[in-house]
Amino acid sequence: MVNSPWPFWPGAFLYIWGMTKLDEIMTANNLVNHALVEAMPGHLNHKMVQKARLGKKPVPRHTQDLIVEALNIVLAPETMYRRENLFNESPMTEVDG
């Protein structure tokens, strides 16, 4: 481990927050953020996908729907996901906008 102060060592973020369901699925399928952005050009951007993968802040419902749709496009026809499968339905993630 590096001799730098917390939380600035490699992998510190994953240690603190863990992986979101979206991040687990994308990692398991060797997908990068750009794959989802390419599937929904003009609707999704890299920042939206990254924020959803990290799961630190609430993800607006509209963004959740776009990400689920893009993921289904990329992974079709093997697997189809719903918003409930990827995002926790806690008050923190029920943000409109």
Side-chain angles (χ1 to χ4, degrees):
M1 196 169 287
V2 179
N3 290 330
S4 61
W6 177 88
F8 303 107
W9 66 82
F13 185 80
L14 291 178
Y15 175 75
I16 297 166
W17 294 103
M19 292 179 74
T20 61
K21 185 69 175 169
L22 175 64
D23 192 42
E24 289 176 17
I25 292 167
M26 290 182 68
T27 302
N29 289 286
N30 295 319
L31 295 175
V32 294
N33 296 352
H34 190 68
L36 297 188
V37 174
E38 276 187 332
M40 301 284 290
H43 298 284
L44 273 179
N45 60 46
H46 295 87
K47 188 175 184 178
M48 294 163 78
V49 176
Q50 184 63 26
K51 283 184 177 184
R53 284 184 83 165
L54 295 177
K56 290 194 317 183
K57 296 182 180 179
V59 178
R61 191 167 291 220
H62 175 72
T63 303
Q64 292 178 8
D65 292 336
L66 289 173
I67 289 172
V68 171
E69 187 177 346
L71 187 64
N72 287 334
I73 289 170
V74 171
L75 295 179
E78 295 88 25
T79 311
M80 298 295 284
Y81 291 99
R82 297 177 47 159
R83 184 170 28 87
E84 296 81 20
N85 302 127
L86 302 178
F87 299 97
N88 294 330
E89 288 299 320
S90 67
M92 186 172 187
T93 57
E94 293 182 10
V95 175
D96 291 321

